[in-house]
Amino acid sequence: MPAFELYTDDIKQDMDSVDNYIKRALKTHQRLLSDVINQLAGSGGKRLRPLMVILSSRFGGYKRDEIIHLAAAIEILHMATLVHDDIIDDAPIRRGEPTVQSRWGKDVAVFTGDFLFSTVFSLLSKEVSFDDLYEVSRVVKQICEGEVDQYQHRYNTAVSVRSYLRRIRHKTADLFALSCVIGAKRAGCSKPIYNALENFGMDFGMVFQIIDDILDFEGQQEELGKPAGADFEEGVYTLPLIYALDTKYRLPLLDVLNKDRYDASDVEAVKAMVKAAGGIEKARSIANNFAAKAVEDIKLLPDNEHKRIMLAILNESVERRY
Amino acid sequence: MPAFELYTDDIKQDMDSVDNYIKRALKTHQRLLSDVINQLAGSGGKRLRPLMVILSSRFGGYKRDEIIHLAAAIEILHMATLVHDDIIDDAPIRRGEPTVQSRWGKDVAVFTGDFLFSTVFSLLSKEVSFDDLYEVSRVVKQICEGEVDQYQHRYNTAVSVRSYLRRIRHKTADLFALSCVIGAKRAGCSKPIYNALENFGMDFGMVFQIIDDILDFEGQQEELGKPAGADFEEGVYTLPLIYALDTKYRLPLLDVLNKDRYDASDVEAVKAMVKAAGGIEKARSIANNFAAKAVEDIKLLPDNEHKRIMLAILNESVERRY
């Protein structure tokens, strides 16, 4: 059963409130910026991070308004990283729509991201503790370090699994961990509870990114809302390829990867070899390990409807095709 | 007499402390990021914004450590905006050195800027009030709006003086105003005092940017540390040109500006016409008006050595050739 069907009415309502809050928070009198932001805020996305904030808050004595506010800030932070990420990737499409930089140019994309970042901090300045604020900025710094790491390892065919895992932890998992812990702390959860939720967020984030990277080899453009195979074309080598490079397919893979330009048949050849080498299977088993760990992380939490939603989302993330 | 020679020993010492503080605050284990940041932090610059924080704090009961911390955060904020600004401008050179994006590519530049921004907020989360934090993020949002405004008005030969002034207020003057007010508030100054300082910062910032824009027409590359005439080549029309476009030189100017590409002789022709049309003179008189207003702003402050330094810096900004 899709996780969404498990959402209780109050969770659905909270998610709608987050959407509305985001739209209100991002109002600007600058027309172009306003157009860009409306497209961004309207283009959907899974809103998983604010959902984690909201669900985590349910394990304590949450105050609805505070949590909506916090969840919105976290989603805006995520939007900011996406906009800047797309500049780097030169991505033409995201969520089935043209990216900010492909539609309005990188100039606008840079400042749209900055505008979003500063909105995050202006929202947080009204609601959270200085400790939380410090945590948020620490996570943003780690995301940046992860992104620069990724940039620096582009086209590096000797990149290790360990360095890959560190990179995606910074790039993706840290923000999920933050979403959980910030929601739980705000709701006054005890340390064992918010630690459990933080660990869940971290392991969930690892699953989420590894599956994302698998879909880059397996997925179809129509389902993904972005071209498949984009990562390795940009020199970003992810888990399935890293594993495949450690098999007898290494040399034939290098033959293709070391070309100056890839055409469509090269992309297909790499995908086929990664599959044949068992790279996808192996990456999937690592994702499953993290998923099992995530389940373990929240064992101590009460078995309520919110925990059930979290587990359903985890399950859906493992199974997803887009 | 150059303003620097008026600096008292304690001001010099504080500025050194700010430099050291910045270096410590920007430490990262990510090697490439660390290299980039060291180049940035080492390449000097005028450090006018932290100086304003420090000087303003002297009109109240400042605590040295708090003010150094705050001044460093403001300079890092400025560094972040510069890095992102250079991406937009495609600027090859700044302060006589290659820009981050020309040396390491825009990918690294985007995340270096983001890293700097998040460092600002992690520093501020330890020292300032939520009100101040809100003010800082508000100013960053305005800088972004100013930059997008500027982008949107590129190549617009009908841009008005009013819209130019609004743009530079957001892009430049707001941050100077913030530097002054945040230092003064932190030092517990009364409202009339911190308002006076905030106004001074705003008017000083206007002078600073208008002179910067004049130098884009008048200055020599060797002195500026960047190519002169870069703005209008990028379609950014500033005060001297806006005034010149309102004279009989409008049509010959449009002939050149409407070309698809400019060669060196086109750039020289525009500069010569802007000068002949009296655009520079008129822009300079506006800068002088703001400078006079800035002097007026701080009339009510005690005539001490710190006020003398502020006035000397103002004077130097009007007179500067780089």
Side-chain angles (χ1 to χ4, degrees), chain A residues 25-28 33 37 69 73 76-81 84 110-126 133 136 140, chain B residues 77 80-81 84 113-114 117-118 120-121 124 130 132-146:
Chain A
L26 293 178
K27 280 224 180 323
T28 160
L33 204 49
I37 283 171
H69 179 98
I76 295 170
L77 174 56
H78 174 56
M79 289 165 64
T81 65
H84 280 178
V110 168
F111 289 109
T112 301
D114 291 352
F115 183 85
L116 294 171
F117 272 127
S118 33
T119 303
V120 172
F121 288 103
S122 74
L123 289 177
L124 293 179
S125 72
K126 294 200 163 160
L133 195 62
V136 173
V140 180
Chain B
L77 174 57
T81 64
H84 280 178
D114 291 352
F117 273 127
S118 33
V120 172
F121 288 103
L124 293 180
F130 278 122
D132 286 342
L133 196 60
Y134 179 78
E135 279 307 294
V136 173
S137 35
R138 191 185 56 77
V139 167
V140 180
K141 282 163 78 170
Q142 278 175 349
I143 292 175
C144 296
E145 288 168 344

Short mmCIF file of all heavy atoms in Angstrom, two decimals, chain A residues 25-28 33 37 69 73 76-81 84 110-126 133 136 140, chain B residues 77 80-81 84 113-114 117-118 120-121 124 130 132-146:
data_model
loop_
_atom_site.label_atom_id
_atom_site.label_comp_id
_atom_site.label_asym_id
_atom_site.label_seq_id
_atom_site.Cartn_x
_atom_site.Cartn_y
_atom_site.Cartn_z
N ALA A 25 5.72 32.38 2.85
CA ALA A 25 7.05 32.78 3.32
C ALA A 25 7.93 33.29 2.18
O ALA A 25 8.86 34.05 2.41
CB ALA A 25 7.72 31.60 4.01
N LEU A 26 7.62 32.84 0.97
CA LEU A 26 8.51 33.16 -0.16
C LEU A 26 8.03 34.34 -0.99
O LEU A 26 8.56 34.58 -2.06
CB LEU A 26 8.72 31.93 -1.03
CG LEU A 26 9.50 30.79 -0.35
CD1 LEU A 26 9.61 29.60 -1.28
CD2 LEU A 26 10.89 31.28 0.04
N LYS A 27 7.06 35.06 -0.48
CA LYS A 27 6.58 36.23 -1.23
C LYS A 27 7.72 37.25 -1.38
O LYS A 27 8.45 37.52 -0.44
CB LYS A 27 5.42 36.88 -0.48
CG LYS A 27 4.09 36.18 -0.68
CD LYS A 27 2.97 37.18 -0.94
CE LYS A 27 1.61 36.49 -1.14
NZ LYS A 27 1.69 35.24 -1.87
N THR A 28 7.83 37.80 -2.58
CA THR A 28 8.79 38.89 -2.81
C THR A 28 8.18 39.85 -3.83
O THR A 28 7.43 39.42 -4.72
CB THR A 28 10.15 38.39 -3.33
OG1 THR A 28 10.85 39.47 -3.97
CG2 THR A 28 9.99 37.26 -4.34
N LEU A 33 11.90 37.12 -9.56
CA LEU A 33 12.17 36.19 -8.46
C LEU A 33 10.86 35.52 -8.02
O LEU A 33 10.82 34.31 -7.75
CB LEU A 33 12.76 37.00 -7.30
CG LEU A 33 13.63 36.28 -6.26
CD1 LEU A 33 14.69 35.42 -6.91
CD2 LEU A 33 14.30 37.32 -5.36
N ILE A 37 10.14 31.53 -8.09
CA ILE A 37 9.81 30.84 -6.85
C ILE A 37 8.44 30.17 -6.93
O ILE A 37 8.25 29.06 -6.43
CB ILE A 37 9.89 31.84 -5.68
CG1 ILE A 37 11.37 32.05 -5.35
CG2 ILE A 37 9.14 31.33 -4.46
CD1 ILE A 37 11.64 33.15 -4.38
N HIS A 69 5.88 25.64 10.80
CA HIS A 69 6.89 26.66 10.53
C HIS A 69 8.26 26.02 10.27
O HIS A 69 8.95 26.30 9.29
CB HIS A 69 6.92 27.57 11.77
CG HIS A 69 7.90 28.66 11.74
ND1 HIS A 69 7.56 29.94 11.39
CD2 HIS A 69 9.22 28.67 12.01
CE1 HIS A 69 8.64 30.70 11.45
NE2 HIS A 69 9.66 29.95 11.83
N ALA A 73 10.51 25.62 6.79
CA ALA A 73 11.90 26.12 6.69
C ALA A 73 12.81 25.02 6.13
O ALA A 73 13.66 25.28 5.26
CB ALA A 73 12.39 26.59 8.05
N ILE A 76 12.24 24.61 2.40
CA ILE A 76 12.83 25.73 1.65
C ILE A 76 14.35 25.55 1.57
O ILE A 76 14.96 25.82 0.53
CB ILE A 76 12.45 27.09 2.29
CG1 ILE A 76 10.93 27.31 2.17
CG2 ILE A 76 13.19 28.24 1.61
CD1 ILE A 76 10.41 28.50 2.96
N LEU A 77 14.93 25.07 2.65
CA LEU A 77 16.37 24.78 2.64
C LEU A 77 16.68 23.74 1.55
O LEU A 77 17.62 23.89 0.77
CB LEU A 77 16.79 24.24 4.01
CG LEU A 77 18.22 23.73 4.18
CD1 LEU A 77 19.22 24.80 3.78
CD2 LEU A 77 18.46 23.31 5.63
N HIS A 78 15.84 22.73 1.48
CA HIS A 78 16.02 21.71 0.45
C HIS A 78 15.87 22.31 -0.95
O HIS A 78 16.67 22.03 -1.86
CB HIS A 78 15.00 20.60 0.68
CG HIS A 78 14.99 19.56 -0.40
ND1 HIS A 78 16.13 18.85 -0.77
CD2 HIS A 78 14.01 19.12 -1.22
CE1 HIS A 78 15.83 18.02 -1.74
NE2 HIS A 78 14.55 18.16 -2.04
N MET A 79 14.87 23.16 -1.14
CA MET A 79 14.69 23.82 -2.44
C MET A 79 15.94 24.62 -2.83
O MET A 79 16.37 24.61 -3.98
CB MET A 79 13.48 24.76 -2.39
CG MET A 79 12.12 24.05 -2.32
SD MET A 79 10.75 25.18 -1.82
CE MET A 79 10.71 26.35 -3.19
N ALA A 80 16.51 25.30 -1.85
CA ALA A 80 17.72 26.10 -2.11
C ALA A 80 18.86 25.20 -2.62
O ALA A 80 19.53 25.52 -3.60
CB ALA A 80 18.16 26.84 -0.85
N THR A 81 19.04 24.07 -1.94
CA THR A 81 20.14 23.19 -2.37
C THR A 81 19.86 22.62 -3.77
O THR A 81 20.77 22.46 -4.56
CB THR A 81 20.39 22.04 -1.37
OG1 THR A 81 19.24 21.18 -1.35
CG2 THR A 81 20.66 22.55 0.02
N HIS A 84 20.73 25.26 -6.49
CA HIS A 84 22.18 25.40 -6.69
C HIS A 84 22.79 24.12 -7.27
O HIS A 84 23.71 24.17 -8.09
CB HIS A 84 22.86 25.81 -5.38
CG HIS A 84 22.73 27.28 -5.11
ND1 HIS A 84 23.22 27.89 -3.99
CD2 HIS A 84 22.16 28.26 -5.86
CE1 HIS A 84 22.96 29.19 -4.05
NE2 HIS A 84 22.30 29.43 -5.16
N VAL A 110 21.51 31.38 -9.19
CA VAL A 110 22.38 31.63 -8.04
C VAL A 110 21.64 32.44 -6.98
O VAL A 110 21.59 32.07 -5.80
CB VAL A 110 23.68 32.38 -8.45
CG1 VAL A 110 24.43 32.88 -7.22
CG2 VAL A 110 24.57 31.46 -9.27
N PHE A 111 21.01 33.53 -7.40
CA PHE A 111 20.38 34.40 -6.42
C PHE A 111 19.05 33.88 -5.91
O PHE A 111 18.64 34.20 -4.79
CB PHE A 111 20.29 35.84 -6.94
CG PHE A 111 21.64 36.45 -6.98
CD1 PHE A 111 22.29 36.70 -8.18
CD2 PHE A 111 22.31 36.71 -5.80
CE1 PHE A 111 23.57 37.21 -8.20
CE2 PHE A 111 23.60 37.23 -5.81
CZ PHE A 111 24.23 37.47 -7.02
N THR A 112 18.38 33.06 -6.72
CA THR A 112 17.18 32.41 -6.21
C THR A 112 17.56 31.49 -5.05
O THR A 112 16.92 31.50 -4.00
CB THR A 112 16.49 31.60 -7.32
OG1 THR A 112 16.16 32.48 -8.39
CG2 THR A 112 15.24 30.92 -6.80
N GLY A 113 18.63 30.71 -5.24
CA GLY A 113 19.10 29.84 -4.16
C GLY A 113 19.47 30.64 -2.92
O GLY A 113 19.08 30.29 -1.80
N ASP A 114 20.18 31.73 -3.12
CA ASP A 114 20.58 32.56 -1.98
C ASP A 114 19.37 33.16 -1.27
O ASP A 114 19.33 33.26 -0.04
CB ASP A 114 21.49 33.71 -2.44
CG ASP A 114 22.85 33.18 -2.90
OD1 ASP A 114 23.12 31.98 -2.72
OD2 ASP A 114 23.63 33.99 -3.44
N PHE A 115 18.41 33.56 -2.07
CA PHE A 115 17.18 34.13 -1.50
C PHE A 115 16.48 33.07 -0.64
O PHE A 115 16.02 33.35 0.47
CB PHE A 115 16.25 34.60 -2.63
CG PHE A 115 15.00 35.26 -2.16
CD1 PHE A 115 14.97 36.60 -1.85
CD2 PHE A 115 13.83 34.52 -2.01
CE1 PHE A 115 13.80 37.21 -1.41
CE2 PHE A 115 12.66 35.11 -1.56
CZ PHE A 115 12.64 36.46 -1.26
N LEU A 116 16.43 31.86 -1.17
CA LEU A 116 15.80 30.77 -0.41
C LEU A 116 16.58 30.49 0.88
O LEU A 116 15.98 30.35 1.95
CB LEU A 116 15.71 29.51 -1.28
CG LEU A 116 14.79 29.59 -2.50
CD1 LEU A 116 14.95 28.37 -3.40
CD2 LEU A 116 13.32 29.74 -2.08
N PHE A 117 17.89 30.43 0.78
CA PHE A 117 18.71 30.20 1.98
C PHE A 117 18.43 31.26 3.04
O PHE A 117 18.27 30.97 4.22
CB PHE A 117 20.21 30.24 1.66
CG PHE A 117 20.77 28.91 1.24
CD1 PHE A 117 21.47 28.78 0.05
CD2 PHE A 117 20.60 27.78 2.03
CE1 PHE A 117 21.98 27.56 -0.35
CE2 PHE A 117 21.11 26.55 1.63
CZ PHE A 117 21.80 26.44 0.43
N SER A 118 18.39 32.52 2.61
CA SER A 118 18.23 33.56 3.62
C SER A 118 16.82 33.53 4.19
O SER A 118 16.62 33.87 5.36
CB SER A 118 18.63 34.94 3.12
OG SER A 118 18.35 35.08 1.76
N THR A 119 15.86 33.10 3.38
CA THR A 119 14.51 32.95 3.93
C THR A 119 14.50 31.88 5.02
O THR A 119 13.85 32.05 6.06
CB THR A 119 13.52 32.55 2.82
OG1 THR A 119 13.56 33.53 1.80
CG2 THR A 119 12.10 32.44 3.36
N VAL A 120 15.23 30.80 4.79
CA VAL A 120 15.33 29.76 5.82
C VAL A 120 15.78 30.37 7.14
O VAL A 120 15.17 30.17 8.19
CB VAL A 120 16.34 28.66 5.41
CG1 VAL A 120 16.58 27.68 6.56
CG2 VAL A 120 15.86 27.93 4.17
N PHE A 121 16.85 31.14 7.08
CA PHE A 121 17.39 31.68 8.32
C PHE A 121 16.50 32.76 8.92
O PHE A 121 16.42 32.89 10.13
CB PHE A 121 18.83 32.15 8.13
CG PHE A 121 19.77 30.98 7.96
CD1 PHE A 121 20.26 30.62 6.71
CD2 PHE A 121 20.12 30.20 9.05
CE1 PHE A 121 21.10 29.52 6.56
CE2 PHE A 121 20.95 29.09 8.90
CZ PHE A 121 21.44 28.75 7.66
N SER A 122 15.79 33.50 8.06
CA SER A 122 14.89 34.49 8.66
C SER A 122 13.71 33.78 9.31
O SER A 122 13.22 34.21 10.36
CB SER A 122 14.47 35.57 7.67
OG SER A 122 13.55 35.09 6.74
N LEU A 123 13.25 32.68 8.75
CA LEU A 123 12.19 31.91 9.41
C LEU A 123 12.69 31.32 10.73
O LEU A 123 12.03 31.41 11.76
CB LEU A 123 11.71 30.76 8.52
CG LEU A 123 10.88 31.13 7.28
CD1 LEU A 123 10.54 29.88 6.47
CD2 LEU A 123 9.60 31.85 7.69
N LEU A 124 13.87 30.73 10.67
CA LEU A 124 14.38 30.07 11.87
C LEU A 124 14.66 31.06 12.99
O LEU A 124 14.56 30.73 14.17
CB LEU A 124 15.66 29.29 11.54
CG LEU A 124 15.46 28.08 10.63
CD1 LEU A 124 16.80 27.39 10.35
CD2 LEU A 124 14.48 27.07 11.24
N SER A 125 15.01 32.29 12.60
CA SER A 125 15.33 33.28 13.64
C SER A 125 14.10 33.58 14.49
O SER A 125 14.20 34.17 15.55
CB SER A 125 15.87 34.55 13.01
OG SER A 125 14.82 35.24 12.37
N LYS A 126 12.93 33.16 14.02
CA LYS A 126 11.71 33.46 14.78
C LYS A 126 11.22 32.30 15.62
O LYS A 126 10.31 32.45 16.39
CB LYS A 126 10.60 33.86 13.81
CG LYS A 126 10.93 35.14 13.11
CD LYS A 126 9.70 35.77 12.55
CE LYS A 126 9.97 37.22 12.22
NZ LYS A 126 9.02 37.75 11.26
N LEU A 133 19.60 26.30 15.31
CA LEU A 133 20.07 27.14 14.23
C LEU A 133 21.50 26.77 13.86
O LEU A 133 21.87 26.68 12.69
CB LEU A 133 20.02 28.59 14.70
CG LEU A 133 20.13 29.62 13.63
CD1 LEU A 133 18.98 29.51 12.66
CD2 LEU A 133 20.13 31.00 14.27
N VAL A 136 21.41 23.63 11.89
CA VAL A 136 21.01 23.83 10.50
C VAL A 136 22.19 24.36 9.69
O VAL A 136 22.50 23.84 8.61
CB VAL A 136 19.82 24.81 10.39
CG1 VAL A 136 19.53 25.14 8.94
CG2 VAL A 136 18.58 24.22 11.05
N VAL A 140 24.12 22.65 6.45
CA VAL A 140 24.33 23.30 5.15
C VAL A 140 25.82 23.28 4.79
O VAL A 140 26.20 23.00 3.65
CB VAL A 140 23.81 24.75 5.14
CG1 VAL A 140 24.04 25.39 3.77
CG2 VAL A 140 22.33 24.80 5.47
N LEU B 77 29.96 37.34 5.24
CA LEU B 77 28.74 37.55 4.45
C LEU B 77 29.08 38.31 3.16
O LEU B 77 28.63 37.94 2.06
CB LEU B 77 27.72 38.34 5.28
CG LEU B 77 26.44 38.79 4.61
CD1 LEU B 77 25.69 37.61 4.01
CD2 LEU B 77 25.53 39.51 5.61
N ALA B 80 30.80 36.07 0.73
CA ALA B 80 29.84 35.16 0.07
C ALA B 80 29.15 35.86 -1.09
O ALA B 80 29.04 35.29 -2.19
CB ALA B 80 28.80 34.68 1.08
N THR B 81 28.73 37.10 -0.86
CA THR B 81 28.04 37.80 -1.96
C THR B 81 29.00 38.08 -3.11
O THR B 81 28.60 38.00 -4.27
CB THR B 81 27.41 39.13 -1.50
OG1 THR B 81 28.44 40.02 -1.08
CG2 THR B 81 26.44 38.93 -0.35
N HIS B 84 29.43 34.86 -5.28
CA HIS B 84 28.27 34.61 -6.14
C HIS B 84 28.11 35.70 -7.20
O HIS B 84 27.71 35.42 -8.32
CB HIS B 84 27.01 34.46 -5.28
CG HIS B 84 26.90 33.09 -4.66
ND1 HIS B 84 25.89 32.71 -3.83
CD2 HIS B 84 27.70 31.99 -4.80
CE1 HIS B 84 26.07 31.43 -3.46
NE2 HIS B 84 27.17 31.00 -4.02
N GLY B 113 30.34 29.94 -2.01
CA GLY B 113 29.45 30.99 -1.52
C GLY B 113 28.47 30.46 -0.48
O GLY B 113 28.27 31.07 0.57
N ASP B 114 27.88 29.31 -0.77
CA ASP B 114 26.91 28.73 0.17
C ASP B 114 27.58 28.37 1.50
O ASP B 114 27.01 28.55 2.57
CB ASP B 114 26.28 27.46 -0.42
CG ASP B 114 25.36 27.78 -1.59
OD1 ASP B 114 25.10 28.98 -1.83
OD2 ASP B 114 24.90 26.84 -2.26
N PHE B 117 28.00 31.56 3.37
CA PHE B 117 26.71 31.98 3.93
C PHE B 117 26.37 31.19 5.19
O PHE B 117 25.95 31.74 6.20
CB PHE B 117 25.57 31.80 2.93
CG PHE B 117 25.37 32.96 2.01
CD1 PHE B 117 25.35 32.80 0.64
CD2 PHE B 117 25.19 34.24 2.52
CE1 PHE B 117 25.17 33.87 -0.22
CE2 PHE B 117 25.00 35.32 1.67
CZ PHE B 117 24.99 35.13 0.29
N SER B 118 26.54 29.87 5.11
CA SER B 118 26.13 29.09 6.28
C SER B 118 27.07 29.31 7.45
O SER B 118 26.65 29.26 8.61
CB SER B 118 25.96 27.60 5.95
OG SER B 118 26.87 27.20 4.98
N VAL B 120 28.30 32.20 8.14
CA VAL B 120 27.78 33.43 8.74
C VAL B 120 26.69 33.10 9.76
O VAL B 120 26.73 33.57 10.91
CB VAL B 120 27.16 34.35 7.65
CG1 VAL B 120 26.44 35.54 8.29
CG2 VAL B 120 28.23 34.81 6.68
N PHE B 121 25.76 32.25 9.35
CA PHE B 121 24.64 31.97 10.25
C PHE B 121 25.06 31.10 11.43
O PHE B 121 24.51 31.23 12.51
CB PHE B 121 23.46 31.39 9.47
CG PHE B 121 22.80 32.44 8.60
CD1 PHE B 121 23.01 32.49 7.23
CD2 PHE B 121 22.01 33.42 9.19
CE1 PHE B 121 22.41 33.47 6.46
CE2 PHE B 121 21.41 34.40 8.43
CZ PHE B 121 21.61 34.44 7.05
N LEU B 124 26.59 33.61 13.74
CA LEU B 124 25.59 34.48 14.35
C LEU B 124 24.74 33.73 15.37
O LEU B 124 24.27 34.31 16.34
CB LEU B 124 24.69 35.09 13.28
CG LEU B 124 25.39 36.08 12.34
CD1 LEU B 124 24.41 36.61 11.31
CD2 LEU B 124 26.01 37.24 13.11
N PHE B 130 17.95 37.24 18.18
CA PHE B 130 17.14 36.78 17.05
C PHE B 130 16.75 37.95 16.17
O PHE B 130 16.62 37.81 14.96
CB PHE B 130 15.91 36.04 17.56
CG PHE B 130 16.22 34.61 17.90
CD1 PHE B 130 15.99 34.12 19.17
CD2 PHE B 130 16.74 33.75 16.94
CE1 PHE B 130 16.28 32.80 19.48
CE2 PHE B 130 17.02 32.43 17.24
CZ PHE B 130 16.79 31.95 18.52
N ASP B 132 18.60 40.54 15.48
CA ASP B 132 19.73 40.84 14.60
C ASP B 132 19.82 39.81 13.49
O ASP B 132 20.09 40.13 12.33
CB ASP B 132 21.04 40.79 15.40
CG ASP B 132 21.19 42.01 16.29
OD1 ASP B 132 20.49 43.00 16.04
OD2 ASP B 132 22.01 41.95 17.22
N LEU B 133 19.59 38.57 13.87
CA LEU B 133 19.66 37.49 12.90
C LEU B 133 18.63 37.70 11.81
O LEU B 133 18.89 37.50 10.61
CB LEU B 133 19.37 36.19 13.65
CG LEU B 133 19.76 34.95 12.92
CD1 LEU B 133 21.24 34.92 12.63
CD2 LEU B 133 19.39 33.74 13.78
N TYR B 134 17.44 38.10 12.24
CA TYR B 134 16.38 38.37 11.28
C TYR B 134 16.80 39.51 10.35
O TYR B 134 16.61 39.43 9.13
CB TYR B 134 15.09 38.74 12.03
CG TYR B 134 13.96 39.05 11.10
CD1 TYR B 134 13.26 38.02 10.48
CD2 TYR B 134 13.61 40.36 10.82
CE1 TYR B 134 12.23 38.30 9.60
CE2 TYR B 134 12.59 40.65 9.94
CZ TYR B 134 11.89 39.62 9.34
OH TYR B 134 10.89 39.90 8.46
N GLU B 135 17.43 40.53 10.92
CA GLU B 135 17.90 41.66 10.11
C GLU B 135 18.93 41.22 9.08
O GLU B 135 18.91 41.63 7.93
CB GLU B 135 18.53 42.73 11.01
CG GLU B 135 17.53 43.63 11.68
CD GLU B 135 16.58 44.25 10.68
OE1 GLU B 135 17.02 45.05 9.86
OE2 GLU B 135 15.37 43.92 10.72
N VAL B 136 19.86 40.35 9.50
CA VAL B 136 20.89 39.88 8.58
C VAL B 136 20.24 39.13 7.42
O VAL B 136 20.53 39.39 6.25
CB VAL B 136 21.92 38.97 9.29
CG1 VAL B 136 22.87 38.36 8.27
CG2 VAL B 136 22.69 39.77 10.33
N SER B 137 19.29 38.24 7.73
CA SER B 137 18.71 37.48 6.63
C SER B 137 17.84 38.38 5.76
O SER B 137 17.77 38.19 4.54
CB SER B 137 17.95 36.24 7.11
OG SER B 137 17.32 36.46 8.32
N ARG B 138 17.24 39.37 6.37
CA ARG B 138 16.46 40.33 5.57
C ARG B 138 17.38 41.05 4.58
O ARG B 138 17.03 41.23 3.41
CB ARG B 138 15.77 41.34 6.50
CG ARG B 138 14.74 42.22 5.83
CD ARG B 138 14.17 43.27 6.78
NE ARG B 138 15.20 44.11 7.39
CZ ARG B 138 15.84 45.12 6.77
NH1 ARG B 138 15.56 45.41 5.51
NH2 ARG B 138 16.78 45.81 7.40
N VAL B 139 18.55 41.46 5.05
CA VAL B 139 19.48 42.17 4.16
C VAL B 139 19.97 41.24 3.05
O VAL B 139 20.07 41.64 1.89
CB VAL B 139 20.67 42.76 4.95
CG1 VAL B 139 21.77 43.22 4.02
CG2 VAL B 139 20.18 43.93 5.81
N VAL B 140 20.25 39.98 3.39
CA VAL B 140 20.68 39.05 2.32
C VAL B 140 19.57 38.91 1.28
O VAL B 140 19.84 38.91 0.08
CB VAL B 140 21.05 37.66 2.88
CG1 VAL B 140 21.48 36.74 1.76
CG2 VAL B 140 22.17 37.78 3.91
N LYS B 141 18.32 38.82 1.74
CA LYS B 141 17.22 38.72 0.79
C LYS B 141 17.17 39.96 -0.11
O LYS B 141 16.95 39.86 -1.32
CB LYS B 141 15.89 38.55 1.52
CG LYS B 141 15.68 37.13 2.00
CD LYS B 141 14.60 37.01 3.05
CE LYS B 141 13.20 37.05 2.49
NZ LYS B 141 12.21 36.67 3.54
N GLN B 142 17.40 41.12 0.49
CA GLN B 142 17.38 42.35 -0.31
C GLN B 142 18.54 42.40 -1.30
O GLN B 142 18.38 42.88 -2.42
CB GLN B 142 17.40 43.57 0.59
CG GLN B 142 16.00 43.87 1.10
CD GLN B 142 15.98 44.99 2.10
OE1 GLN B 142 17.03 45.42 2.57
NE2 GLN B 142 14.80 45.45 2.43
N ILE B 143 19.69 41.90 -0.89
CA ILE B 143 20.82 41.85 -1.82
C ILE B 143 20.42 40.97 -3.02
O ILE B 143 20.64 41.34 -4.17
CB ILE B 143 22.09 41.30 -1.14
CG1 ILE B 143 22.61 42.30 -0.09
CG2 ILE B 143 23.19 41.01 -2.17
CD1 ILE B 143 23.79 41.79 0.74
N CYS B 144 19.80 39.85 -2.74
CA CYS B 144 19.37 38.95 -3.83
C CYS B 144 18.36 39.64 -4.74
O CYS B 144 18.46 39.56 -5.96
CB CYS B 144 18.73 37.68 -3.27
SG CYS B 144 19.87 36.67 -2.33
N GLU B 145 17.40 40.32 -4.12
CA GLU B 145 16.41 41.04 -4.92
C GLU B 145 17.09 42.11 -5.78
O GLU B 145 16.78 42.27 -6.96
CB GLU B 145 15.35 41.68 -4.02
CG GLU B 145 14.41 40.64 -3.40
CD GLU B 145 13.52 41.18 -2.28
OE1 GLU B 145 13.83 42.28 -1.76
OE2 GLU B 145 12.55 40.51 -1.92
N GLY B 146 18.06 42.81 -5.18
CA GLY B 146 18.82 43.83 -5.92
C GLY B 146 19.57 43.23 -7.10
O GLY B 146 19.60 43.79 -8.20
#
